Structure formats: structure tokens, C-alpha cells
Amino acid sequence: MKTAGFILLGLAALDLVMLMLLLWTVWYAHRAVRKEAAAKGEHVPSAGRDFRLLFGILVGGLICLGGASLLLLAA
């Protein structure tokens, strides 16, 4: 059962890395759109609140995954 726990921990860490890369990529693209709009004199509202929400959901999910893996390792 410990092997399954270690696999779950490894996959949770990989999930964290992939989701952070996805979030960074979307944020980078959003900044590029805002800069392009600013150069044209247009206004694009910031999506910072949405990104904070997504980051909070990411952290909450990782806490749940970590707790589940700790339960597997303790058993």
C-alpha cells in the first residue's frame, strides 16, 4: 500500500507542476493581450481575481491529494 501512496504523491507533485505551468502560460498570454490593447489605446480589464481563484482551487485540491496520500502512507 505504501507504493500506491508514493505513486499518488509523485503524481500530485507532477499535477502541481503541470497546473502551475498552465496557469503561468495563460497569465503570460493575458499580459500580452493587455499590452497589445494598451498600445492601441484600448482597455482590457485585469483577470487577476480569476487567477487568484484558480490558484486557490489548485492549492485546495493539492491539500486534499496530499491528505489522501498521507492516509495511504499511514495505513
Side-chain angles (χ1 to χ4, degrees):
M1 198 58 142
K2 284 193 176 202
T3 303
F6 285 122
I7 291 171
L8 185 60
L9 276 174
L11 290 175
L14 182 63
D15 187 44
L16 171 66
V17 170
M18 295 305 293
L19 287 174
M20 291 302 292
L21 284 173
L22 176 64
L23 194 59
W24 178 81
T25 303
V26 172
W27 179 254
Y28 184 78
H30 175 68
R31 283 185 52 197
V33 167
R34 287 192 68 185
K35 285 182 182 181
E36 183 179 329
K40 293 179 182 178
E42 301 170 357
H43 176 69
V44 175
S46 175
R49 184 178 303 166
D50 297 332
F51 283 106
R52 285 190 294 270
L53 174 67
L54 289 173
F55 186 74
I57 291 170
L58 169 71
V59 170
L62 289 173
I63 289 171
C64 290
L65 282 173
S69 62
L70 286 176
L71 285 174
L72 281 174
L73 289 174

